[in-house]
Amino acid sequence: MRMKTAQILMECLLEQGVDTVFGYPGGTILNVYDEFELHGYKNKIRHILTAHEQGASHAADGYARATGKVGVCFATSGPGATNLTTGIATAYYDSSPVVFITCNVSENLIGKDSFQEVDITGISMPITKCNYLVKDPDQLADVLREAFAIARSGRPGPVLVDIAKNVTAAEAEYEPLPLAEHPNHGRLGAMLRRASHDLKTPEPDAGDIQTLLDMIEHAKKPLVLVGGGVIRSRGAVPEFRTFIETLNAPVASTIMGGGACPGNHPLFTGMIGMHGSHASNHASDQCDLLIAIGCRFSDRVATNPATFAPNAKIVHIDIDRAEIDKNVKTDHHIIGDARRVLELLNAKLPPHDYPEWKQWVFSHKEVPLKKDEILHPHEILETIQDVTDGDAIIVTDVGQHQMWCAQYYHFSRPGQFITSGGFGTMGFGLGAAMGAAVGNPGKVVVQCTGDGCFRMNCHELCTAEHYNIPVITVIFNNRTLGMVRQWQNLIYQKRFSQTDLDRGPDFVRLAEAYGIQGERAATQSEFETAFRRAVAAGRPYLIECAIDKDAMVHPMVSAGTPVTDFILD
């Protein structure tokens, strides 16, 4: 059938099972937005209008991470498109599947520095899996189908589709195509095959699997390191838990691996790296076999690659061949999807046990937590854990509060901890929390943020209030850029340059200005009372927590030093 290409775009979204879009309209994308009214797509696809395009990008990302679906974000040309770039990069570094759809100026105006024209495909090329500029109406449907396939396949990630405005006003033939039939569809199938490097996951080599089994058989002190790849791989977590319980060895996690191994599991040693636990960091230093699954060995994990796991044979399991030996030299690797690799290992792995090794690892105790008249960060997280029975989805910004969440909240499932791990995006939290809440109605979603981060995108409170998205915002307010101050305190001889946040706003009154109830808490009992009220309210809520200006994340390893060289215990 023949129809407007703007309508074809909407039909393609429905083919993909899209039920929610986050976005912000503008001149070049108006033909697309008109379809919400003209043909009633507003009754089939929910559109969330955010306060800023960056908020929309983070919301689509949070939705994707919390649901496992592909997130979708709309924006107009020029500044609308460039406002997405931080969100695109955030999704790219954490392998989150989001399709960003922008519309550019008409084809006859491209390249002429036209009003609100920008080469968004050129700008976003390094931070997307793939991107497109659509100039041919007949290609739009298949380009959109391919974009979704690439976003969700292999190592997931963001894809951008930019459409010239004149294309959205044109007409083209549209043939409805169920999602299951896409790989076998003529021209689309050919396009998908051309993109096979993105769409086909290699079957793990049987010899590589056996080599790892042999290495396990000879190991005396193995350590498993789990990263975000296990979270992103569909169905990998049950296989992972079978693997670690059969191996019965200590398990450490990167920040992106939170939820793969339950935080209260007897084998779990905690986070590893710059703010890793004593048990995890010392275990990595003394293990004789390190099995890393779905992690990148970033500089926050392998703080000094040359000295990381110096006594171990390092085995790296990853879907992306480009990650192998990129940061840390390995002794063996297996290329493949985490779920499939673990499935093959579990089929042949006999039960093991390492009682003396585990006893040594878990003998490394953490610093005792303070309990006194003031409110401490761990008390905030412990209270959230207790009140929600550990079932809340925690979304963070970046900084001290992010590390405290990773350390003190016991995540138990994929999608329960949503944070910007790779790109470290301040301002990520509120948008991502809204996306997570929209995708998980009925779940308690808590945005944990710092006063510095919250200022960056607090205008999205109007979005949460308007759509009644029940995000509970908990501000760890230490009146400073906490993590930067911690570095200044420990490394820069207390030269606190430009980190004091001795200014407004009054966060409670700001929330009230947006029609959201706010409270303050200075003790654990005050916070518990306020948080219980927030959960019971079932609507957006804000709690400002007064914490010590010099509260620090314990422990800490300086950048570029071995993970056991703690400068802060």
Side-chain angles (χ1 to χ4, degrees):
M1 68 186 79
R2 197 160 185 84
M3 62 175 63
K4 285 279 187 71
T5 49
Q7 187 177 1
I8 290 174
L9 188 156
M10 292 297 190
E11 289 295 330
C12 287
L13 295 183
L14 292 175
E15 284 181 7
Q16 299 292 332
V18 173
D19 54 22
T20 305
V21 168
F22 303 89
Y24 202 98
T28 61
I29 200 170
L30 281 182
N31 290 327
V32 174
Y33 272 89
D34 195 44
E35 286 300 321
F36 280 105
E37 302 295 330
L38 186 62
H39 290 104
Y41 288 101
K42 65 182 180 181
N43 300 318
K44 301 175 183 179
I45 299 174
R46 185 184 187 189
H47 184 280
I48 304 293
L49 173 64
T50 56
H52 190 280
E53 289 93 350
Q54 185 177 338
S57 70
H58 295 324
D61 187 355
Y63 177 91
R65 299 190 200 207
T67 64
K69 302 177 183 178
V70 177
V72 180
C73 181
F74 283 0
T76 194
S77 63
T82 56
N83 282 343
L84 297 178
T85 53
T86 296
I88 295 171
T90 302
Y92 181 76
Y93 274 82
D94 290 343
S95 303
S96 182
V98 183
V99 171
F100 294 90
I101 298 174
T102 58
C103 289
N104 216 320
V105 298
S106 292
E107 188 177 356
N108 66 313
L109 297 176
I110 291 176
K112 298 182 179 180
D113 294 334
S114 304
F115 179 68
Q116 292 192 335
E117 178 201 353
V118 75
D119 179 12
I120 191 60
T121 53
I123 290 170
S124 65
M125 187 175 294
I127 52 173
T128 54
K129 284 186 73 177
C130 187
N131 63 24
Y132 306 83
L133 173 58
V134 182
K135 298 180 179 180
D136 182 350
D138 290 327
Q139 292 184 358
L140 178 63
D142 284 349
V143 164
L144 288 167
R145 291 159 178 162
E146 182 182 349
F148 276 86
I150 290 175
R152 69 164 65 92
S153 66
R155 180 179 179 173
V159 176
L160 181 135
V161 180
D162 193 32
I163 310 167
K165 183 177 181 179
N166 60 291
V167 171
T168 65
E171 289 189 349
E173 287 295 322
Y174 170 70
E175 176 187 351
L177 189 66
L179 184 58
E181 296 180 17
H182 287 188
N184 301 318
H185 177 64
R187 184 171 61 183
L188 173 64
M191 294 174 74
L192 298 184
R193 285 189 290 274
R194 286 199 300 272
S196 61
H197 65 285
D198 283 308
L199 301 175
K200 291 182 180 177
T201 302
E203 176 69 7
D205 182 83
D208 290 341
I209 296 290
Q210 188 57 52
T211 296
L212 176 52
L213 291 168
D214 293 341
M215 295 173 79
I216 291 172
E217 191 62 33
H218 291 93
K220 305 297 183 187
K221 297 184 292 185
L223 174 68
V224 177
L225 174 59
V226 60
V230 173
I231 300 296
R232 295 286 175 266
S233 173
R234 297 177 185 175
V237 169
E239 294 290 345
F240 175 75
R241 294 182 183 178
T242 299
F243 174 72
I244 62 172
E245 288 169 4
T246 305
L247 183 61
N248 205 5
V251 180
S253 173
T254 70
I255 192 169
M256 297 307 298
C261 180
N264 57 3
H265 196 285
L267 293 172
F268 190 56
T269 62
M271 190 168 60
I272 197 170
M274 180 173 286
H275 295 291
S277 69
H278 288 82
S280 293
N281 285 12
H282 282 292
S284 71
D285 190 61
Q286 292 299 314
C287 66
D288 62 5
L289 177 63
L290 178 67
I291 305 171
I293 310 174
C295 73
R296 298 184 297 114
F297 292 113
S298 78
D299 57 305
R300 288 301 190 261
V301 170
T303 51
N304 184 340
T307 62
F308 186 71
N311 301 299
K313 297 288 186 182
I314 299 178
V315 179
H316 193 177
I317 300 169
D318 206 282
I319 198 170
D320 187 353
R321 179 64 182 83
E323 293 296 341
I324 305 300
D325 296 330
K326 185 174 79 174
N327 295 323
V328 170
K329 182 68 176 176
T330 61
D331 297 279
H332 180 56
H333 63 262
I334 302 174
I335 306 299
D337 178 75
R339 181 200 60 78
R340 182 59 178 153
V341 172
L342 290 164
E343 185 179 67
L344 294 172
L345 287 170
N346 289 337
K348 294 185 176 181
L349 182 68
H352 288 71
D353 196 12
Y354 308 90
E356 294 181 1
W357 167 234
K358 288 186 292 184
Q359 183 179 14
W360 182 85
V361 170
F362 288 103
S363 69
H364 293 84
K365 304 297 184 183
E366 303 306 313
V367 176
L369 300 177
K370 292 181 179 179
K371 289 279 186 179
D372 51 36
E373 69 280 0
I374 68 173
L375 181 59
H376 295 285
H378 68 87
E379 294 176 317
I380 297 172
L381 277 307
E382 289 165 358
T383 300
I384 295 172
Q385 181 97 29
D386 292 343
V387 171
T388 64
D389 294 323
D391 193 48
I393 295 173
I394 305 295
V395 185
T396 79
D397 276 296
V398 173
Q400 288 180 312
H401 66 276
Q402 177 190 35
M403 297 297 109
W404 288 322
C405 289
Q407 291 174 330
Y408 301 131
Y409 195 94
H410 296 318
F411 302 102
S412 60
R413 66 180 187 275
Q416 192 179 10
F417 183 37
I418 298 173
T419 191
S420 174
F423 204 48
T425 304
M426 294 177 70
F428 170 76
L430 183 52
M434 292 191 302
V438 169
N440 290 271
K443 286 287 185 185
V444 176
V445 177
V446 182
Q447 179 213 3
C448 291
T449 185
D451 48 318
C453 286
F454 186 61
R455 282 178 172 86
M456 292 196 172
N457 273 330
C458 60
H459 46 262
E460 292 300 344
L461 287 175
C462 70
T463 310
E465 188 279 331
H466 179 76
Y467 295 100
N468 194 29
I469 304 172
V471 171
I472 301 173
T473 295
V474 176
I475 303 173
F476 291 64
N477 190 358
N478 52 9
R479 305 166 307 287
T480 188
L481 295 175
M483 186 61 84
V484 184
R485 181 181 176 88
Q486 178 166 331
W487 280 54
Q488 290 173 332
N489 201 332
L490 297 173
I491 301 171
Y492 291 89
Q493 291 75 53
K494 301 184 185 298
R495 293 188 293 272
F496 300 119
S497 176
Q498 304 303 314
T499 45
D500 286 348
L501 298 178
D502 49 355
R503 63 205 67 182
D506 179 320
F507 291 118
V508 172
R509 293 177 66 184
L510 177 69
E512 291 170 350
Y514 281 112
I516 293 173
Q517 186 169 349
E519 296 194 47
R520 291 187 178 87
T523 66
Q524 185 175 19
S525 62
E526 289 178 359
F527 176 71
E528 180 176 347
T529 299
F531 187 72
R532 288 187 182 277
R533 273 197 287 262
V535 172
R539 60 178 183 269
Y541 214 95
L542 181 145
I543 307 171
E544 179 186 357
C545 298
I547 65 171
D548 184 7
K549 190 171 189 175
D550 284 310
M552 293 197 191
V553 180
H554 297 258
M556 178 177 174
V557 175
S558 183
T561 64
V563 292
T564 52
D565 287 2
F566 295 100
I567 62 171
L568 179 64
D569 281 325

